[in-house]
Amino acid sequence: MSGPVPLTTDHPGQVASATPPAPGRSRRLSDRWLAVAFISPALLLLLAMSVFPLLWALYLSFTDYSATRGGSAHFVWFENYTAILTSAQVHLRALTTLIYVVGAVALQTVLGFAIAYLISRRTHGRGLLTTLFLVPMMLSQVVVGLFWKFMLDAQFGVINSMLGSLGLGQVEWLTRQQTALISLIVVDTWQWTPFIMLIALAGLTAVPKYLYEAASIDRASEWFRFRTITLPLVWPLLLIAVLFRAIEAFRLFDLVYILTSGGPGVSTETLSFHVYKVAFLGFNTGTASAYGILMVLIVIVLTQLYLRYLNKLKED
Amino acid sequence: MRYPKRIGRLSVPGRKVQLATAAMLVATTVAACGGQDDGAKASAPKAPATIPELTKDPLTLSFIWFDWPPAHALEDFANAEYTKQRSNVTIKVNTVPNANWHDAMFTQFAAHKTDFDIPILDSQHIGEAVTNGNILDITDFVKQNIDVKAYNPYLLAAYGQYPQAETGKRDENASLYGLPLLGDTWTMIYRKDLIGDKPPQTWDEMISVAAKCQADNPGVSGLAFHQANGSDAAAVTYNTVNGVYGGNLWDSKTRKIDGVMNDAAGQEAMDVLVNKMKPLTAKGSGNWFIDEVNAAVAQGKACIAFNWIAASGGLLDPKQSTLGTTREQILDKLGFATLPSQKTNLVPLGGMGMHVSAYSPAANQAEALNFMKWFEQADIQKKWAAAGGVPARTDALESPEFLNAGPFNKVYADSVTRMRDMWNVPEYARLVDIENTNVNAALNGAKPPKDALDDIAKEQQGVLDSGNRKGGGGL
């Protein structure tokens, strides 16, 4: 006599695989194979479009291959990597990128959180305000770059026109070393602050109301409530938004291409812009591949460190 | 009976999937590695001496150029005129932004598959395209089909010959890979109402006239010229001043740049450009190129400007100008002249040639050769001149159709014997980028002029000398 069949299990997948196939289904088509069949199109696409190009770039990074010069690729092993890591040109671009990432992401985080905090305190029109703030994020970077280029034009731009009407002098926003990088940061901040705002707003609305009520009963000040309730609860979510933005900012290309072309001189050339020049001006495909792989590695390592910090924060 | 779940080992289907994936990756990688040998033979394939039989089926002959008025003029002109002879053919001139022009052509060349049949290359791109085998060698075709004596030899050489010709000459034994499509050079555009009818004759005089004009006319800058760090903008400006002040870009025989470009004449040219000319330009003009210079002229904001002739047509359009409501009124205020001379009278060679993609279908290559033969005929060149183009044949350059088509056309005709080109070598794209970024840095105060010039010479020399370098090329 067989025992009763359990209704629940800790391993539903195993129960499913132990169940005999439905009548009419081929014996060969087990659930496992069906699962494989269903995910294989997506898997193949991923392999063809992401994994293979990455492996191919990794292979090319150890060679002197050029896409236009043709010929067979000769192994130069780590020479591309050594040249990149010891190049003063690359160090300069890395510094520019670092200043840009830190400047843009910090500004966006402060502004994004501040806007989200103010919106979260409103009871009326919150949806409309949020939607309006999100508009810049929905625009193409090229379009944003083009209209900011007109707005920042020293001669005909609306920004200088406004400064002029206030009695201030003309500023060469895009053609001076001191202002060109700041202009890029400002434009990026204009476009991407809403992203941080959106994530922060999600975090702020999820903070349980009873915590604030308890704090009010204890006559806690506004600042005390913000510091001990709001910020600690929103902080992990905000850090994830910062991570996304930092990765995005690290690979900035479009705005530089449209607004400054890396100028004046090379003072706003980011790492991505430099990779583009190495890859497409001289068609040094091997070097460009190594450059790209190094950038991916940097992002992976920094992300891992960041995620560990984030996990530690959650555990605490 | 249920077995406990195995840990650390995949089930059989899982392992099979992983093995299959790994095998596929290895196979694809091997296949891709094998595919690379295709490009091992890097030399330009030859076009037939005679034009093969042309198709009677509908055919689209595609060009690629950057987006500017001559590109649209060419499409209109060719569709109106060429189709009279070849009614089954449609001409399509694909355009890309100027900054993407080189990339758009050479990324397709790299793929060994082009969506264009006739790439319109800058004269300095020829070396890169020939060395990589991207365009056809048309030497035999030219011998059979083109009247080479009808051209100024240097114009023919500049848009087709490789290795590069010496300035002002043509090597008749060298191979040809293209034919002239559009001639061009800089014109000096000056405000007759502000500085008088007679244009300055020397570069120094031009600077002093511009300075006086700027001082006398608040809100109008003395000069307007290309300073941007994209394309070849700032580089052409420096090269022009370098030539006028007796400098050289390189010694082509010894491939020496360092010590040549930054010699005393080169330093003087950089000093003139940064310390004498730049202060006479509008604030924030450090990223100006063709359109911005034209806008400044059209809005009456510059006393003297320099621009490519082929891009100057819009200046006479009353709809785009604040200088007058009719073409005549605008011409009362604007004058066009050849560049002033100083120690030499050199002017920059602009314009482009047409070439045949090595990766086009045979029928399209045949049609492209037929188009080139048709286009280089005397009467067609005159019609092209009347349609707004700048021809290269001497008879067309001297024809009333050309000289009367625009006030700047005589400037071009007078400049032909004064032209000098940059380097036509496979490394051109990198050389010009180095020069552009450094001249742009000097013009915008990001680098002292002497340092900028020395950096250009040193970095460009590094590019030319890096032929045997194993890794890190392109940095």
Side-chain angles (χ1 to χ4, degrees):
Chain A
M1 187 178 150
S2 62
V5 176
L7 292 173
T8 58
T9 173
D10 290 340
H11 306 286
Q14 286 189 340
V15 170
S17 61
T19 312
R25 190 202 286 179
S26 161
R27 274 182 166 276
R28 297 173 65 85
L29 274 181
S30 67
D31 284 358
R32 188 82 181 177
W33 278 108
L34 266 180
V36 169
F38 279 124
I39 63 162
S40 53
L43 196 67
L44 284 173
L45 203 66
L46 191 73
L47 287 171
M49 306 297 286
S50 298
V51 179
F52 173 69
L54 191 69
L55 291 177
W56 186 237
L58 186 66
Y59 156 68
L60 289 178
S61 73
F62 294 108
T63 71
D64 63 353
Y65 183 64
S66 165
T68 51
R69 288 191 286 279
S72 52
H74 302 107
F75 272 101
V76 295
W77 301 111
F78 286 93
E79 285 190 40
N80 286 331
Y81 288 94
T82 314
I84 292 163
L85 291 171
T86 56
S87 163
Q89 302 272 345
V90 176
H91 297 164
L92 183 66
R93 271 72 170 188
L95 183 65
T96 306
T97 308
L98 182 70
I99 295 170
Y100 172 79
V101 171
V102 172
V105 176
L107 198 59
Q108 286 160 30
T109 308
V110 172
L111 283 175
F113 186 78
I115 296 169
Y117 187 68
L118 292 175
I119 289 180
S120 71
R121 292 165 66 93
R122 286 184 64 92
T123 45
H124 298 295
R126 187 193 288 186
L128 180 68
L129 268 178
T130 310
T131 310
L132 287 176
F133 272 113
L134 288 182
V135 170
M137 205 174 82
M138 295 169 188
L139 298 173
S140 141
Q141 285 228 309
V142 174
V143 173
V144 168
L146 283 172
F147 72 65
W148 271 97
K149 191 175 183 180
F150 285 118
M151 284 165 61
L152 292 170
D153 187 281
Q155 290 289 315
F156 317 109
V158 68
I159 305 285
N160 271 359
S161 173
M162 284 161 63
L163 290 178
S165 61
L166 294 172
L168 301 169
Q170 284 181 320
V171 180
E172 296 183 47
W173 294 107
L174 302 173
T175 52
R176 286 285 146 188
Q177 211 170 3
Q178 299 86 347
T179 49
L181 194 59
I182 294 172
S183 301
L184 283 176
I185 290 173
V186 167
V187 175
D188 194 69
T189 301
W190 178 85
Q191 186 171 22
W192 290 110
T193 295
F195 176 76
I196 303 268
M197 182 208 79
L198 195 65
I199 305 277
L201 195 60
L204 285 167
T205 48
V207 177
K209 290 266 187 301
Y210 66 82
L211 293 176
Y212 291 118
E213 287 163 8
S216 298
I217 292 166
D218 290 340
R219 305 186 70 180
S221 69
E222 188 83 8
W223 168 243
F224 186 83
R225 278 190 277 173
F226 176 78
R227 194 166 52 85
T228 56
I229 301 173
T230 311
L231 202 56
L233 287 174
V234 178
W235 190 238
L237 205 58
L238 202 60
L239 285 181
I240 290 173
V242 168
L243 173 71
F244 284 139
R245 277 307 307 139
I247 292 173
E248 278 282 312
F250 182 73
R251 58 187 185 83
L252 173 81
F253 175 82
D254 326 43
L255 282 183
V256 177
Y257 190 73
I258 299 289
L259 281 172
T260 63
S261 290
V266 294
S267 52
T268 55
E269 266 193 22
T270 54
L271 288 168
S272 296
F273 196 81
H274 196 211
V275 175
Y276 156 74
K277 281 189 166 182
V278 173
F280 295 108
L281 288 188
F283 281 96
N284 292 282
T285 316
T287 312
S289 300
Y291 210 150
I293 294 286
L294 279 173
M295 285 182 67
V296 170
L297 283 178
I298 289 170
V299 170
I300 289 173
V301 169
L302 291 179
T303 307
Q304 282 303 316
L305 291 174
Y306 195 85
L307 286 176
R308 280 187 188 188
Y309 169 71
L310 208 62
N311 286 335
K312 192 169 171 290
L313 204 72
K314 276 185 188 167
E315 284 166 14
D316 290 346
Chain B
M1 185 179 169
R2 284 167 60 189
Y3 294 97
K5 189 179 179 184
R6 283 177 298 189
I7 298 169
R9 197 170 169 198
L10 288 164
S11 61
V12 173
R15 267 185 291 152
K16 278 184 181 169
V17 168
Q18 285 206 345
L19 281 171
T21 309
M24 194 187 72
L25 279 172
V26 170
T28 344
T29 308
V30 169
C33 285
Q36 270 183 211
D37 289 334
D38 294 348
K41 289 174 279 176
S43 62
K46 270 187 176 287
T50 51
I51 299 168
E53 191 180 350
L54 300 173
T55 181
K56 292 187 174 99
D57 296 332
L59 184 145
T60 300
L61 190 63
S62 298
F63 290 64
I64 186 164
W65 208 352
F66 66 89
D67 195 4
W68 71 328
H72 305 291
L74 174 67
E75 186 172 278
D76 295 344
F77 170 71
N79 275 316
E81 295 295 330
Y82 186 63
T83 46
K84 287 179 186 168
Q85 182 191 343
R86 298 278 300 146
S87 57
N88 60 324
V89 175
T90 307
I91 306 291
K92 177 81 186 141
V93 180
N94 299 310
T95 56
V96 293
N98 184 292
N100 300 108
W101 182 31
H102 171 268
D103 304 354
M105 291 184 293
F106 282 85
T107 44
Q108 292 198 46
F109 283 148
H112 289 199
K113 193 174 170 67
T114 57
D115 65 5
F116 51 81
D117 310 302
I118 301 186
I120 298 171
L121 299 180
D122 226 342
S123 56
Q124 306 89 6
H125 293 148
I126 298 172
E128 186 177 358
V130 170
T131 312
N132 297 333
N134 305 139
I135 53 176
L136 298 188
D137 178 343
I138 58 170
T139 313
D140 297 339
F141 166 79
V142 171
K143 275 181 194 161
Q144 288 266 29
N145 297 282
I146 306 293
D147 178 12
V148 292
K149 290 192 174 65
Y151 296 82
N152 173 299
Y154 185 56
L155 280 189
L156 200 64
Y159 301 118
Q161 180 182 314
Y162 187 76
Q164 185 174 9
E166 263 183 73
T167 299
K169 295 179 183 171
R170 178 190 163 215
D171 179 357
E172 291 189 13
N173 296 318
S175 296
L176 285 172
Y177 300 88
L179 285 167
L181 171 71
L182 181 92
D184 206 359
T185 187
W186 270 19
T187 176
M188 178 169 67
I189 306 154
Y190 62 101
R191 287 285 297 275
K192 291 193 278 190
D193 56 327
L194 300 182
I195 68 170
D197 285 338
K198 192 168 175 278
Q201 297 300 302
T202 68
W203 206 265
D204 285 349
E205 185 194 350
M206 180 271 294
I207 292 170
S208 61
V209 166
K212 185 175 181 308
C213 178
Q214 179 171 285
D216 294 347
N217 299 280
V220 181
S221 60
L223 293 173
F225 52 82
H226 304 167
Q227 302 179 47
N229 61 347
S231 188
D232 58 3
V236 169
T237 300
Y238 173 72
N239 290 347
T240 303
V241 185
N242 173 288
V244 168
Y245 279 83
N248 285 298
L249 302 184
W250 69 326
D251 181 339
S252 58
K253 285 182 182 137
T254 57
R255 286 171 68 87
K256 195 165 183 287
I257 294 178
D258 198 3
V260 176
M261 179 184 246
N262 52 343
D263 64 5
Q267 298 286 2
E268 186 185 5
M270 187 59 101
D271 178 62
V272 167
L273 176 62
V274 176
N275 297 321
K276 293 182 179 170
M277 292 173 65
K278 173 68 182 174
L280 299 175
T281 60
K283 206 169 182 182
S285 61
N287 57 359
W288 282 13
F289 194 26
I290 296 171
D291 292 344
E292 290 82 0
V293 169
N294 273 345
V297 174
Q299 293 179 20
K301 298 280 187 185
C303 297
I304 295 175
F306 298 96
N307 216 339
W308 294 111
I309 285 176
S312 299
L315 292 175
L316 306 178
D317 181 359
K319 287 181 195 151
Q320 300 178 39
S321 181
T322 59
L323 297 176
T325 51
T326 62
R327 182 183 160 102
E328 289 68 33
Q329 280 181 4
I330 295 171
L331 281 171
D332 283 343
K333 291 184 178 172
L334 284 188
F336 297 86
T338 52
L339 300 196
S341 53
Q342 190 68 32
K343 291 177 182 170
T344 76
N345 67 353
L346 291 171
V347 297
L349 178 132
M352 301 89 195
M354 49 188 166
H355 310 264
V356 184
S357 166
Y359 314 109
S360 274
N364 293 49
Q365 286 183 345
E367 196 67 54
L369 292 172
N370 190 59
F371 179 88
M372 287 160 93
K373 183 180 177 182
W374 168 83
F375 188 79
E376 302 297 340
Q377 295 173 98
D379 58 328
I380 301 299
Q381 286 276 290
K382 285 176 189 168
K383 284 184 182 174
W384 171 227
V390 182
R393 280 179 67 116
T394 310
D395 47 8
L397 286 174
E398 291 168 351
S399 68
E401 287 91 336
F402 176 64
L403 294 173
N404 296 334
F408 25 72
N409 284 355
K410 187 169 184 326
V411 176
Y412 180 76
D414 292 344
S415 300
V416 168
T417 54
R418 297 169 53 180
M419 289 179 183
R420 179 180 84 165
D421 202 0
M422 293 193 262
W423 338 262
N424 175 6
V425 290
E427 299 89 351
Y428 166 75
R430 290 199 57 214
L431 297 181
V432 81
D433 178 59
I434 289 167
E435 190 165 336
N436 248 340
T437 49
N438 279 289
V439 174
N440 177 264
L443 285 167
N444 290 297
K447 210 178 242 191
K450 186 178 183 316
D451 291 0
L453 189 60
D454 288 340
D455 286 350
I456 293 169
K458 196 174 137 202
E459 289 175 32
Q460 286 185 337
Q461 191 67 61
V463 170
L464 287 187
D465 294 346
S466 64
N468 295 323
R469 186 173 173 178
K470 280 189 174 174
L475 290 173

